[in-house]
Amino acid sequence: MTSFFISYNRADKAIAEWIAWILEEEQHSVIIQAWDFRPGGNFILDMQRAATDTDKTIIVLSDAYLKAEYTQPEWAAAFANDPESKTRKLLPIRVGDCRPTGMLRLIVYVDLVGLEEEAARQAVLAALEERVKPVTKPTFPLVGKERTVSERPDFPGRGIVGEEAASSGPQPPMLGALSLIPLSKHLAVIKLMYRWGRSGLSSPNPSCTWGPRLPHTHRQDLY
């Protein structure tokens, strides 16, 4: 079975022949209209054989190709034989600025736009490989990128309390006290405040609306 059928629009004949040439240089067999559809042949039957009797179809993707009527069945035949691209039977090679639409836009293409000849040649040949593993071991990417800390970060809790206090005005008396005592004391203070509230004791300061304050003797015992 022939390896590749190259489907193209006549506006892209030159690049289609270039692709065919580099493929045959690498010992792949190719069918291309410019070389293989000869006088006396039946064009429709020749196209039918090319579309069905080759392993893969390469489409030379350009705006002219997408707008042409007779190129559509050529790639559609390959797509129908491999709709999930399991064998990559359809291989688009983009050679001009264009935007594939419909089902064709889901097929990953080789992009030759803007490449020099050798880079384009390598791109085409690389697309034929099932896997592109580097020949040499990649360099370890983290060398020289150790994380360093020049100074000790501030404890974020204190800064957050300060910002909230500055934005919300005067703070409740016990909130100021809680922000200054060790974390291990917070639970004991909260429990004691809860008991005061349950016992119905009023605040020593009638104008205070934040709840009961602890006597100074209690706070000294706790801290």
Side-chain angles (χ1 to χ4, degrees):
M1 176 177 286
T2 304
S3 301
F4 298 101
F5 164 51
I6 298 183
S7 171
Y8 65 96
N9 178 265
R10 61 183 177 181
D12 303 310
K13 177 176 177 289
I15 187 65
E17 290 188 271
W18 180 85
I19 293 171
W21 186 276
I22 66 169
L23 291 176
E24 292 198 345
E25 277 187 331
E26 298 296 320
Q27 308 305 311
H28 298 291
S29 54
V30 174
I31 292 179
I32 180 172
Q33 179 183 338
W35 299 349
D36 298 301
F37 290 19
R38 305 305 302 146
N42 185 309
F43 178 83
I44 299 300
L45 294 179
D46 286 344
M47 192 63 70
Q48 166 70 11
R49 285 189 288 267
T52 58
D53 296 345
T54 52
D55 186 44
K56 296 180 187 296
T57 295
I58 290 177
I59 63 175
V60 181
L61 196 56
S62 68
D63 192 54
Y65 186 91
L66 295 175
K67 291 179 178 178
E69 294 181 359
Y70 292 103
T71 57
Q72 308 307 310
E74 297 172 18
W75 72 260
F79 183 87
N81 289 330
D82 184 27
E84 297 182 6
S85 299
K86 291 182 177 180
T87 60
R88 301 193 303 139
K89 193 169 183 63
L90 182 62
L91 180 60
I93 298 180
R94 194 174 82 120
V95 300
D97 188 23
C98 62
R99 290 178 174 270
T101 59
M103 291 185 289
L104 191 56
R105 71 183 178 87
L106 303 178
I107 309 298
V108 179
Y109 57 75
V110 182
D111 198 354
L112 303 189
V113 177
L115 299 183
E116 298 293 336
E117 181 175 1
E118 182 57 27
R121 177 179 178 276
Q122 293 298 329
V124 171
L125 297 180
L128 308 183
E129 303 294 334
E130 291 299 323
R131 192 177 185 215
V132 189
K133 180 180 177 180
V135 178
T136 59
K137 179 181 178 181
T139 303
F140 181 61
L142 302 182
V143 173
K145 296 184 179 180
E146 293 82 0
R147 182 176 181 270
T148 59
V149 179
S150 58
E151 59 183 30
R152 179 179 177 182
D154 292 333
F155 176 61
R158 179 174 298 176
I160 294 172
V161 172
E163 292 173 2
E164 291 177 349
S167 62
S168 59
Q171 299 297 306
M174 284 310 300
L175 179 59
L178 289 176
S179 66
L180 297 176
I181 65 175
L183 181 61
S184 60
K185 300 293 187 179
H186 284 194
L187 183 59
V189 174
I190 293 170
K191 287 183 177 178
L192 188 54
M193 290 176 64
Y194 178 76
R195 292 173 184 168
W196 274 61
R198 291 292 298 272
S199 64
L201 296 177
S202 61
S203 170
N205 184 0
S207 64
C208 178
T209 59
W210 297 308
R213 287 179 69 136
L214 297 180
H216 290 289
T217 54
H218 286 203
R219 293 198 295 190
Q220 289 171 355
D221 293 340
L222 288 170
Y223 307 153

